[in-house]
Amino acid sequence: MGNMTSLEVLKLGGNYLTGVQSELLKNPCNLRVLTLWSNRINQDISEFLEGLPHCAWSKIELLDLSLTNISGGIPKWINQWTDLSALQLSSNRLVGSIPIEISMLSKLRKLYLDSNQLNGSISEEHLAPLVNLKELDLSYNSLQIMINSNWIPPFKLKLAYLPRSKVGPQFPLWLKGQNSITNLDISDASIVDHLPDWFWTVFSNVQYLNISCNQISGRLPRTLEFMSSARIFDLSSNNLTGILPQLPRYLEELDISRNSLSGPLPREFGAPSLMDLLLSENSINGTIPLYICQLQLLSVLDLAKNCLVGQFPLCPEVSEGRSISAIILYENNLSGKFPSFLQSFPELILLDLAHNKFDGVLPTWIARKLRKLSYLRLRHNMFSGSIPVQLTQLGYLQYLDLASNRISGSIPHTLGNLKAMVQNQRQSLGNPLAWRMKGQQTLSCMIHRKYAGSLVVVMKGQYLDYTSNIIYMVGLDLSCNNLVGDIPVEITSLVKLNNLNISYNWLSGKIPKKIGLLDHWSLLIYHASEIPSSFSDMTKLSKLNLSYNNLSGRVPTGNQLQTLIDPVSSYIGNDYLCGPPLCRNCSVPRVTEGDVDEHQPEVQYFYLGLAAGFVVGLWVVFVVFLFGKTCKIVYFQVFDKLLHALQASVA
């Protein structure tokens, strides 16, 4: 290849070659285009560029070394590459400041230095001579943009990416003249300012707009619907106020979560092609409009943490096969039965209705109609009835949270059918969460798919936010209900669980002996009778709560049980447990059968006294009832405490 002296264009990008050496190209003096992106150069950038033919330095027009693992600082003699129109060094390990000599590349149209470890500042001195500049990407470095507010750039950018650059605190006024921009990203740029009046006029032709993760205040204009070029808006995590106006007609993705919007949602959004609608953590009130049902392409709907009331619209004309994959409505005041229109969404993966006022029984059609459901969170509602056995037929279900409802009956013995809690689904191509969570935003087509940054799981008693790593969370939470019966032994087959909570129910019987098979548990809370020795086989346990049960016998020791934080509190409220870490010694002899016979007369007198006291107590209740309901309640509380003391004495 080095002998191809007439070579002008060499494109080897995207081959993942290793050990690419510039010495292989010693002689091509006519080289104009060299793209090596996504190969492994593994070399200092100065050494690599020095190895390229010096006779081609002033002729190369396009140099793309993105994702090649080059390191070091950008050399000052880069100014000798005078014909460069595109310099792309993205996603490498470049360090140091950007040399001022880069300003001498007057033909430069594209400059991509994003996703490196560059630092220092960028001033108008770097940019003023670059009169042909169209695309500038300095994102994800540690750069400070120090440009005078009065400076008027000589270029007209089409693309400007500056996320995680220190642009603020004032809004960058030098952007005021950049009315040709179609892609603008100034997210996480330390801007603490009011959105200027000219903003929506100057950027009326924008296709992709991201101003998220700043402290920008202001209102969305009523003229927003006339931005006909808009496709993706990310305005999240700011201080925007006011009501949500009608949206641009061709808008596909909108994220205004974590702001201070108020008022009701518009009856019509005006964006029929909308795929992602993320409005969580605002103060939006009123009801969910029927227009939601008409968004045929909607994939993600997140209205969590607002003040919405009423029932979800009935959606009478919802067609089968809709592609919606996530509905997130937690922490509102929504009510009604489990939404029946969800039967028309076979692609649904995530459903979060937690912390609302939904009631009624859980329908049996969930498993039949929502076969891809992986994340179902219904905690803190008023659902009643039993857990449908059909739920255990959901092969992809890896997170089920039914805590704090009014669910009764027993825990289904068919739990072993929950394959995603048994097998390692995240390594399988069949996991419907995997591909959607790994969606990427590319510079060429600006396509990205995301769920809200507010997916919540309850683990170790804490509310934890999950985003893309939700695919690694496997959990089952049935706590704070009215479940009865035993703990099914089938629960021990759910070996991929990170989190299990079945506390605060009316469960009885013994803890299954094979409990130690659940090696991956991070949280274990039970109400049961004795602790199997297999507990000591758990090697990844980080929190254990067996408090306030009727547990007895010796506390198991070994492995993770010896490393628990505050282990004594794990067993508190169990008067018949003994051994470390408790102070109660297991060497005290047990009460024998002879001891019981010896004290039998005392027990008989005790029960006789108990009966007499009970009769007198009933008479007192009757008398107190005549004098007031409040006294009766107080008496019953006292009687309840006496009864508990009696049970302890008998035991």
Side-chain angles (χ1 to χ4, degrees), residues 315-549:
C315 298
E317 300 178 1
V318 174
S319 57
E320 289 281 346
R322 293 278 293 274
S323 61
I324 192 162
S325 57
I327 297 178
I328 306 168
L329 303 174
Y330 71 89
E331 290 192 33
N332 282 285
N333 287 307
L334 298 171
S335 57
K337 308 298 181 186
F338 191 89
S340 60
F341 74 91
L342 293 177
Q343 297 181 72
S344 303
F345 299 144
E347 300 297 316
L348 192 64
I349 297 172
L350 275 156
L351 178 61
D352 194 338
L353 305 179
H355 293 272
N356 280 288
K357 296 178 180 178
F358 290 103
D359 58 17
V361 299
L362 298 178
T364 57
W365 52 256
I366 294 178
R368 188 175 71 255
K369 295 289 188 177
L370 308 178
R371 295 181 180 274
K372 294 186 179 181
L373 198 61
S374 300
Y375 180 104
L376 178 60
R377 188 166 176 261
L378 305 177
R379 71 184 292 121
H380 278 286
N381 279 285
M382 295 182 287
F383 289 113
S384 56
S386 59
I387 301 173
V389 176
Q390 291 83 354
L391 272 185
T392 62
Q393 298 172 8
L394 288 166
Y396 292 116
L397 189 62
Q398 65 183 60
Y399 193 87
L400 175 62
D401 187 349
L402 304 179
S404 300
N405 280 282
R406 300 172 180 176
I407 296 173
S408 55
S410 59
I411 300 176
H413 282 251
T414 52
L415 286 174
N417 294 334
L418 294 170
K419 296 179 182 178
M421 299 185 187
V422 177
Q423 303 169 356
N424 202 346
Q425 283 287 96
R426 60 178 177 266
Q427 294 180 0
S428 168
L429 293 176
N431 183 0
L433 279 180
W435 68 272
R436 289 190 179 275
M437 285 298 186
K438 292 179 181 176
Q440 293 183 351
Q441 179 174 311
T442 61
L443 298 181
S444 57
C445 56
M446 299 314 302
I447 294 176
H448 73 289
R449 190 166 299 280
K450 65 176 181 178
Y451 291 114
S454 56
L455 294 175
V456 177
V457 299
V458 181
M459 189 171 180
K460 302 182 185 178
Q462 302 177 41
Y463 284 81
L464 304 177
D465 288 341
Y466 276 75
T467 50
S468 59
N469 54 358
I470 190 68
I471 64 171
Y472 300 107
M473 174 52 61
V474 182
L476 177 64
D477 194 337
L478 307 177
S479 62
C480 302
N481 280 291
N482 297 314
L483 296 172
V484 297
D486 61 349
I487 301 167
V489 68
E490 290 80 6
I491 212 166
T492 62
S493 66
L494 307 180
V495 294
K496 294 301 174 184
L497 282 177
N498 305 118
N499 178 41
L500 174 66
N501 190 344
I502 54 176
S503 65
Y504 296 100
N505 282 287
W506 298 98
L507 301 173
S508 57
K510 296 182 178 181
I511 300 177
K513 291 183 178 180
K514 294 182 179 180
I515 205 74
L517 296 175
L518 301 182
D519 187 44
H520 287 69
W521 285 9
S522 296
L523 172 63
L524 178 63
I525 305 182
Y526 265 122
H527 275 211
S529 61
E530 76 175 29
I531 308 177
S533 59
S534 60
F535 262 67
S536 60
D537 297 332
M538 298 181 184
T539 59
K540 298 181 181 178
L541 189 67
S542 62
K543 178 162 183 172
L544 176 66
N545 189 343
L546 300 173
S547 60
Y548 297 100
N549 286 285

